[in-house]
């Protein structure tokens, strides 16, 4: 029986900037990556999102990013490995406070945006983030790009990973995501996205932008909750996967 986790980046509202889809999308996913205040999110949003995840039985993950609200954490910053470690510990701790207060359990950690993509290729940053997660709680699962330096670093440290693939992103020949600065980074056609998802989940490979067949391990599938048709798409993806006999379930700790 095939199993896949459906994760979504959540709690990315802050101040007067709402993300109205979050509570609805929770009905269609199995794990939530909750922003911790650096790239998005604030204490009120974190508290609400944690409570909603617990209510709906969705696994809770910390989603640490770079300290860049204006750029939504998607702009690269030159940081040291120790700074990456500190940022990760700090943000996990912030979310953990709300999780513990609400009587929940922290399940995983997934880096956000530019931090995620930088660490996917930079072994030193990957090691720092992995060590931060391990030092905080070695039972946590690291969500990381399939085939990335993050996965390799976690293996060496003994941290459990969930190899992540993306429903709405295109891939390069080396298995990395196409940078958002390029016009073909996002898949906007729903049918094309669904075909890619089924290929990755059922056949464990993806076709790159240059038509190269890239093998990958698909254990958790990322959906984005900030798109125009995010709710409709999440519902459709879940239906299509279940219709193929695939079980939707968060990885077990």
């Amino acid at each position: 029986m095939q199993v896949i986790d459906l994760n979504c980046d959540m709690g990315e509202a802050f101040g007067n900037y709402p993300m109205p889809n979050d509570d609805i999308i929770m009905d269609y996913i199995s794990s939530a990556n909750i922003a911790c205040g650096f790239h998005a999110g604030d204490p009120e949003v974190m508290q609400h999102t944690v409570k909603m995840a617990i209510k709906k039985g969705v696994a809770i993950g910390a989603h640490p990013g770079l300290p860049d609200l204006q750029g939504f954490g998607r702009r690269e910053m030159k940081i040291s490995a120790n700074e990456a470690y500190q940022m990760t510990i700090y943000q996990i701790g912030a979310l953990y406070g709300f999780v513990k207060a609400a009587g929940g359990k922290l399940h995983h950690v997934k880096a956000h945006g530019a931090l995620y993509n930088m660490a996917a290729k930079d072994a030193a940053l990957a090691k720092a983030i992995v060590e931060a997660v391990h030092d905080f709680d070695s039972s946590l699962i690291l969500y990381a790009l399939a085939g990335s330096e993050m996965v390799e670093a976690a293996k060496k440290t003994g941290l459990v990973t969930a190899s992540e693939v993306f429903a709405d992103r295109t891939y390069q020949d080396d298995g990395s995501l196409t940078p958002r600065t390029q016009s073909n980074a996002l898949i906007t056609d729903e049918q094309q996205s669904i075909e890619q998802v089924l290929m990755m989940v059922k056949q464990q490979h993806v076709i790159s932008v240059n038509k190269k067949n890239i093998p990958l391990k698909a254990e958790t599938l990322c959906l984005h909750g900030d798109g125009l048709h995010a709710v409709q798409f999440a519902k459709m993806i879940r239906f299509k996967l279940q219709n193929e006999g695939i079980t939707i379930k968060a990885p077990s700790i």
Side-chain angles (χ1 to χ4, degrees):
M1 181 178 66
Q2 279 193 296
V3 178
I4 190 72
D5 171 52
L6 289 186
N7 80 74
C8 187
D9 301 345
M10 312 288 282
E12 292 181 322
F14 60 93
N16 291 326
Y17 302 94
M19 288 284 187
N21 294 331
D22 278 14
D23 290 0
I24 306 171
I25 288 178
M26 283 273 192
D27 292 330
Y28 304 109
I29 61 174
S30 44
S31 63
N33 321 307
I34 302 176
C36 306
F38 271 34
H39 77 277
D42 62 28
E44 181 180 4
V45 173
M46 290 164 72
Q47 181 187 47
H48 172 82
T49 310
V50 164
K51 287 183 175 180
M52 187 58 60
I54 293 171
K55 179 182 178 181
K56 298 197 175 187
V58 173
I60 298 170
H63 196 37
L66 295 173
D68 181 19
L69 279 175
Q70 290 87 351
F72 199 64
R74 288 175 175 164
R75 301 183 294 191
E76 288 194 3
M77 296 174 65
K78 190 171 180 58
I79 61 171
S80 68
N82 194 44
E83 285 173 321
Y85 178 94
Q86 294 164 354
M87 288 178 192
T88 304
I89 288 281
Y90 187 98
Q91 292 177 80
I92 297 173
L95 188 75
Y96 175 74
F98 289 105
V99 175
K100 184 177 181 182
K105 182 174 176 60
L106 194 61
H107 173 263
H108 66 275
V109 176
K110 173 189 165 181
H112 166 81
L115 183 61
Y116 179 101
N117 291 321
M118 289 158 59
K121 294 183 177 182
D122 186 319
L125 287 182
K127 183 174 182 288
I129 292 170
V130 164
E131 287 180 349
V133 176
H134 184 271
D135 291 352
F136 188 90
D137 183 349
S138 60
S139 73
L140 294 173
I141 301 171
L142 179 75
Y143 283 25
L145 183 68
S148 67
E149 289 289 347
M150 291 268 278
V151 173
E152 291 305 310
K155 286 179 183 176
K156 294 174 184 175
T157 310
L159 197 66
V160 175
T161 61
S163 291
E164 185 175 38
V165 295
F166 287 76
D168 62 352
R169 297 293 300 275
T170 61
Y171 283 78
Q172 296 293 294
D173 291 349
D174 63 355
S176 64
L177 299 176
T178 303
R180 284 181 177 268
T181 52
Q182 297 184 22
S183 59
N184 62 344
L186 294 175
I187 300 173
T188 55
D189 180 84
E190 287 186 357
Q191 188 55 42
Q192 181 185 349
S193 181
I194 289 167
E195 288 173 3
Q196 175 166 294
V197 166
L198 292 176
M199 179 188 298
M200 293 188 296
V201 175
K202 296 182 71 176
Q203 301 173 32
Q204 302 287 296
H205 71 87
V206 70
I207 305 299
S208 74
V209 290
N210 295 316
K211 309 301 180 186
K212 185 177 179 181
N213 193 321
I214 312 296
L216 48 69
K217 191 174 185 179
E219 294 175 318
T220 183
L221 171 69
C222 179
L223 307 177
H224 286 110
D226 56 351
L228 190 60
H229 306 291
V231 173
Q232 176 187 336
F233 184 68
K235 185 176 181 180
M236 185 184 303
I237 285 288
R238 185 180 181 97
F239 172 79
K240 291 286 186 181
L241 289 168
Q242 290 178 324
N243 201 42
E244 292 284 333
I246 299 165
T247 300
I248 310 298
K249 184 181 178 183
S252 299
I253 292 181

